[in-house]
Amino acid sequence: MNPVRLLIVTAVDAERDAVGRGLSPAAPVAAPGPPGRELLRLTCNGGVPCPDTHPMPSAARRRPLTVDLLTGGVGPAAAAAATGAALALAAVRDEPYDLVVSAGIAGGFAPVAAVGSVVVADRVIAADLGCETADGFLPVDSLGFGTSEYACPPHLAAAVARVLGAVHAPVLTVSTVTGTEERARMLQKSHGAAAEAMEGFGVAEAAAVHGTPILEVRTVSNPVGPRDRAAWRIPDALAALRDAFAVLRPVLAHGAPPPYS
Ligand SMILES: O=C(O)c1cccc(C(=O)CC[C@H]2O[C@@H](n3cnc4c(=O)[nH]cnc43)[C@H](O)[C@@H]2O)c1
């Protein structure tokens, strides 16, 4: 039976290892390496028990699960390059992925997403890709180029959010971390966003080339706003990321067969 294949892309090794420990506590922690090069493969036999809260009908929970973890680097360009390479390699090997997940820590927009909380994107939005004008920001699609957002598969994303008790709302991708209260308020108001991070849209652009659906799962390390690096709660956010993927493990292992919807 063909396994369900997942690619999970993080920015840095610490995020990859948190995801890996959640999915498989016994998994070896991979050595640090250059972003975008090495895949860490975990195989689940589908034999783990499902929680009562599992969103999928039992008849659909059959196929074994293979998860590849990839440290893709920080920012949308690095994430797109790494994800694109992994997807292309998988396609050439005739082992295409069924789902790509952008995962890691993020800034949370108060009061919607507090530090330590989990956010599952319903949409992934490129918040600073476009053109600044005297009348405001024009997204890239309004200029006639490409797209500035991708929707996650609605049923799967909502089910994952429900199982995790997560905030389910747009996650912004920015190339520049927001550093003022004013911009934080403007971004939140414009998009109804719960969180911002730096890779989701890059992962989504690469996945779109291959027609592969995406999810974005983030845990909040800091509030979006005036820069205060000392206040970032990175260990707490990484622990929350590990715990989220520990909860998701049986969900993913027994999840509905593709196509995800
Ligand atoms: O220093 C560490 O130990 C460490 C461990 C894990 C991750 C980091 C990062 O600095 C990751 C950067 C990563 O985090 C996302 N992020 C987090 N907060 C924000 C934010 O307020 N605005 C935008 N992005 C944020 C982002 O995706 C970066 O790639 C360090």
Side-chain angles (χ1 to χ4, degrees):
M1 187 187 311
N2 287 339
V4 174
R5 295 183 197 283
L6 256 61
L7 175 64
I8 302 182
V9 185
T10 65
V12 300
D13 288 340
E15 295 168 317
R16 175 203 60 193
D17 293 340
V19 171
R21 277 194 299 274
L23 287 173
S24 176
V29 173
R37 304 277 167 80
E38 222 168 298
L39 290 168
L40 179 64
R41 176 158 291 187
L42 307 175
T43 306
C44 306
N45 64 7
V48 287
C50 275
D52 291 342
T53 49
H54 195 289
M56 308 302 178
S58 57
R61 305 174 206 163
R62 284 208 192 96
R63 290 168 61 188
L65 175 74
T66 294
V67 182
D68 288 339
L69 302 179
L70 177 65
T71 299
V74 171
T83 306
L87 287 165
L89 194 60
V92 166
R93 290 178 172 159
D94 203 20
E95 294 178 347
Y97 292 105
D98 299 299
L99 181 72
V100 183
V101 183
S102 172
I105 65 173
F109 289 98
V112 183
V115 170
S117 63
V118 185
V119 178
V120 174
D122 58 359
R123 288 179 293 146
V124 175
I125 299 174
D128 55 9
L129 182 63
C131 178
E132 193 79 65
T133 76
D135 297 324
F137 176 74
L138 298 176
V140 72
D141 46 337
S142 76
L143 303 172
F145 305 116
T147 185
S148 60
E149 66 175 72
Y150 287 98
C152 301
H155 295 111
L156 180 68
V160 165
R162 200 165 47 246
V163 163
L164 293 178
V167 181
H168 189 37
V171 175
L172 307 184
T173 301
V174 293
S175 291
T176 302
V177 174
T178 299
T180 66
E181 200 60 60
E182 186 190 16
R183 183 155 174 81
R185 272 200 303 274
M186 187 279 289
L187 285 173
Q188 189 176 23
K189 194 169 160 216
S190 304
H191 303 289
E196 71 165 35
M198 302 177 78
E199 293 80 26
F201 187 77
V203 170
E205 285 272 50
V209 169
H210 293 262
T212 310
I214 53 136
L215 291 179
E216 183 164 6
V217 178
R218 295 279 171 178
T219 55
V220 175
S221 54
N222 58 283
V224 179
R227 180 170 166 75
D228 178 9
R229 194 63 160 75
W232 283 36
R233 297 286 173 258
I234 290 176
D236 293 347
L238 292 174
L241 193 63
R242 178 202 61 209
D243 293 347
F245 276 88
V247 171
L248 282 184
R249 179 183 174 217
V251 175
L252 295 171
H254 294 271
Y260 291 110
S261 59

